[in-house]
Amino acid sequence: MIFSGFERCLYRRQKFESDPERGFAVILEKKKEDVLKWFRPTKRDLHIYYSGESAYEPDFVVETKTIKMICEIKRASEMQHKEVLDKARAAAQWCRYATEHAKKYGGKPWSYLLIPDDAISENKTLQGLAASYTFDEVSGDTSKGLG
């Protein structure tokens, strides 16, 4: 389904692959969040490769007042799958490189969030999700949830 009425999204209409993705967009639109803008990238927007020529297209890119984030909403039962973790490592590495570049030119740091779908609810905040589900490239773990 296609949804509209977003104030912070770069596009007037968005299509979501799942209800948790739609729910995440609702979180991003909350007035109390410090989100400046967000969008759902296409294959042409970010060039993240996780296995040779295999490109990864994340679910969301979010900019807040202090940071930029790549966010992936994944079914909780798939959080440990090899391909999910390979994509997460590649995206976290991309964020590390983007942060290094941003530091040189006065930009914002980047981080990668790997969020299980069952963690998405309208009473959650982006800040709370980031505290729990920021993916660590080195350990291959989130702050919580991958055990």
Side-chain angles (χ1 to χ4, degrees), residues 9 16 79 82 87:
C9 183
F16 301 103
M79 294 285 284
K82 181 183 180 336
K87 289 177 179 180

Side-chain angles (χ1 to χ4, degrees), residues 7-8 23-37 62-66 69 121-129:
E7 294 179 13
R8 297 176 184 180
F24 187 69
V26 169
I27 291 170
L28 298 177
E29 288 288 318
K30 286 181 182 177
K31 297 293 183 210
K32 65 182 176 181
E33 294 289 348
D34 66 349
V35 173
L36 299 176
K37 54 192 163 199
V62 180
E63 182 177 5
T64 73
K65 294 175 183 175
T66 60
M69 302 176 199
S121 63
E122 291 189 24
N123 67 339
K124 298 289 176 82
T125 64
L126 178 60
Q127 185 178 21
L129 291 169

Side-chain angles (χ1 to χ4, degrees), residues 50-102:
Y50 68 95
S51 176
E53 294 296 316
S54 299
Y56 167 45
E57 183 180 330
D59 293 331
F60 293 87
V61 174
V62 180
E63 182 177 5
T64 73
K65 294 175 183 175
T66 60
I67 193 168
K68 294 180 181 180
M69 302 176 199
I70 295 175
C71 305
E72 179 73 21
I73 312 303
K74 193 53 72 182
R75 187 174 302 153
S77 63
E78 296 177 351
M79 294 285 284
Q80 293 284 351
H81 288 186
K82 181 183 180 336
E83 184 176 17
V84 170
L85 295 174
D86 287 348
K87 289 177 179 180
R89 285 185 191 95
Q93 182 179 50
W94 188 97
C95 287
R96 183 169 48 84
Y97 294 148
T99 295
E100 289 170 8
H101 177 80

